[in-house]
């Protein structure tokens, strides 16, 4: 706030100053004893503390009065009624200025946010109805065409391509919708009893076909001592589906992807790890991949499709349930993403 006051702010400030200073009232200023001071400032804790402090320093006490405005003065202030007034005025002016500037920027901000969130929610329902619905039909129709058996090999390849591309698109739209919902504060988390065996099996159902298509081997294991945990079934499933489909996507044909749930002896935490022996992630990117829209290869010629939102969502979903997600990876050797479910969530 080093900007000068605008003319109308100056006028308003002047009016405020006049109210406080009451320039037309006479000023009374006289020396007082500590006892008088305690009487005059009875109930004003801050002034009484100052009074005692000044008295202790041996300063001469005085009182400054103008109308109903009473102030305590002491020592160096004594000679400076004018200065005191000036300081008061400056404080009022500064407070007014700050308050006003803040109010203006807050109003502007809230207006901007209201507009933005309207646009956002319009966009959300548009995306929901206009994109998701037809896409779902395309996927279903491609599936029916594939299963009808009437198509020859070439037609089947085309239908397969239609089905695959539309599924990728639908996945991206779903990620986008989830991120937008979470930003709108509309992400509901339910904490229920979860059997990780169920969730891993369900994730296998989604990732399995992708793995087959990519000629990647998928294995899943849930250790027998893994207990039931409390969390959000849908979100945990989305976490594993996201990590699993990434693992398949970034692993060349012939590679392996493993989903494993174990109980960590030392802490009692439950760890669900999705590991692959694919392309790996350089250490300088290992934290950045959790940022929205970050992709190690974001060039137009990149070979991997995706929105760059998956891992941001994975982390948001994990944190919403009180879990954490970390990655360990060696470039060219593979990656392991671990969801840590704290012992406190073990049922
Ligand atoms: P998307 O997969 O849609 O690009 P994500 O947020 O899921 O977005 O992932 C961000 C980036 O992190 C990916 O583009 C990729 O560069 C990197 N990444 C994620 N998972 C793996 C993995 N298992 N192996 C190698 N790189 C990965």
């Amino acid at each position: 706030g080093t900007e000068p006051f605008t003319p109308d702010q100056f006028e308003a400030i002047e009016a405020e100053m006049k109210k406080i200073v009451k320039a037309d009232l006479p000023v009374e200023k006289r020396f007082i004893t500590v006892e008088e001071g305690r009487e005059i400032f009875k109930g004003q804790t801050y002034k009484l503390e100052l009074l005692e402090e000044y008295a202790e320093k041996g300063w001469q006490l005085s009182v400054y009065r103008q109308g109903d405005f009473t102030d305590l003065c002491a020592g160096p202030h004594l000679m400076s009624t004018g200065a005191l007034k000036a300081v008061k005025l400056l404080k009022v002016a500064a407070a007014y200025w700050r308050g006003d500037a803040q109010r203006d920027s807050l109003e502007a901000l809230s207006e901007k946010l209201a507009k933005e969130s309207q646009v956002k929610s319009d966009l959300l329902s548009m995306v929901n109805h206009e994109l998701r619905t037809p896409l779902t039909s395309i996927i279903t129709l491609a599936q029916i065409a594939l299963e009808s058996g009437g198509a020859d090999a070439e037609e089947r390849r085309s239908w397969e391509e239609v089905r695959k591309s539309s599924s990728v698109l639908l996945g991206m739209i779903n990620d986008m919708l989830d991120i937008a919902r979470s930003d709108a504060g509309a992400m509901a988390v339910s904490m229920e009893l979860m059997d990780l065996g169920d969730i891993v099996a369900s994730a296998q159902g989604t990732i399995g076909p992708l793995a087959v298509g990519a000629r990647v081997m998928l294995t899943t294991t849930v250790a027998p001592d893994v207990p039931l945990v409390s969390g959000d079934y849908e979100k945990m499933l989305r976490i594993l589906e996201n990590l699993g489909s990434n693992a398949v996507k970034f692993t060349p044909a012939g590679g392996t992807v493993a989903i494993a749930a174990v109980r960590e002896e030392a802490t009692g935490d439950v760890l669900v790890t999705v590991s692959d022996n694919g392309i790996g992630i350089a250490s300088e990117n290992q934290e950045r991949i959790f940022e929205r829209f970050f992709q190690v290869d974001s060039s137009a010629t990149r070979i991997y499709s995706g929105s760059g939102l998956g891992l941001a969502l994975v982390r948001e979903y994990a944190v919403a349930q009180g879990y954490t997600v970390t990655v360990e990876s060696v470039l060219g050797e593979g990656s392991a993403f671990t969801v840590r479910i704290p012992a406190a969530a073990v049922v």
Side-chain angles (χ1 to χ4, degrees), residues 135 137-167:
L135 257 182
S137 333
I138 292 172
I139 295 171
T140 313
L141 289 175
Q143 189 67 40
I144 290 171
L146 270 171
E147 283 166 5
S148 69
D152 62 29
E154 196 178 331
E155 276 172 349
R156 265 213 306 282
R157 262 199 304 281
S158 303
W159 280 119
E160 183 56 45
E161 194 53 42
V162 169
R163 196 186 60 86
K164 229 172 69 189
S165 303
S166 328
S167 299

Side-chain angles (χ1 to χ4, degrees), residues 200-257:
V200 169
S202 183
Q204 187 178 21
T206 330
I207 304 157
L210 301 177
V212 171
R215 278 173 288 128
V216 165
M217 189 163 94
L218 175 67
T219 66
T220 59
T221 49
V222 177
D225 66 339
V226 168
L228 294 178
V229 295
S230 125
D232 188 310
Y233 187 98
E234 284 304 320
K235 294 204 168 47
M236 190 60 195
L237 180 58
R238 289 296 304 277
I239 289 176
L240 293 188
E241 284 176 349
N242 259 311
L243 293 178
S245 58
N246 273 350
V248 169
K249 188 161 77 175
F250 296 107
T251 300
T256 310
V257 168

Side-chain angles (χ1 to χ4, degrees), residues 246-247 249-250 276 279-281 289 294-296 306-311 335 337:
N246 273 350
K249 188 161 77 175
F250 296 107
D276 64 67
I279 64 170
I281 303 152
I289 52 172
F294 181 84
Q295 298 177 310
V296 172
S307 61
L309 286 172
L311 288 177
S335 314
F337 288 82

Side-chain angles (χ1 to χ4, degrees), residues 86-219:
V87 167
K88 294 265 171 216
L89 296 185
L90 276 177
K91 276 192 186 154
V92 172
Y96 184 87
W97 167 237
R98 269 199 308 274
D100 208 42
Q102 250 162 32
R103 205 175 49 234
D104 282 356
S105 64
L106 278 179
E107 267 165 20
L109 186 68
S110 81
E111 215 169 279
K112 190 167 154 243
L113 283 179
K115 256 188 220 141
E116 267 178 16
S117 75
Q118 184 55 45
V119 170
K120 228 183 216 170
S121 70
D122 288 350
L123 197 69
L124 263 185
S125 48
M126 189 277 278
V127 166
N128 210 6
H129 294 116
E130 308 304 319
L131 293 181
R132 229 149 60 118
T133 315
L135 257 182
T136 314
S137 333
I138 292 172
I139 295 171
T140 313
L141 289 175
Q143 189 67 40
I144 290 171
L146 270 171
E147 283 166 5
S148 69
D152 62 29
E154 196 178 331
E155 276 172 349
R156 265 213 306 282
R157 262 199 304 281
S158 303
W159 280 119
E160 183 56 45
E161 194 53 42
V162 169
R163 196 186 60 86
K164 229 172 69 189
S165 303
S166 328
S167 299
V168 168
L169 205 53
L170 185 63
M172 281 164 73
I173 290 171
N174 284 338
D175 283 355
M176 236 170 63
L177 283 172
D178 276 343
I179 286 271
R181 266 193 215 107
S182 141
D183 278 357
M187 189 166 86
V189 184
S190 64
M191 294 304 267
E192 60 208 1
L193 213 60
M194 302 193 300
D195 181 344
L196 287 170
D198 277 357
I199 300 182
V200 169
S202 183
Q204 187 178 21
T206 330
I207 304 157
L210 301 177
V212 171
R215 278 173 288 128
V216 165
M217 189 163 94
L218 175 67
T219 66

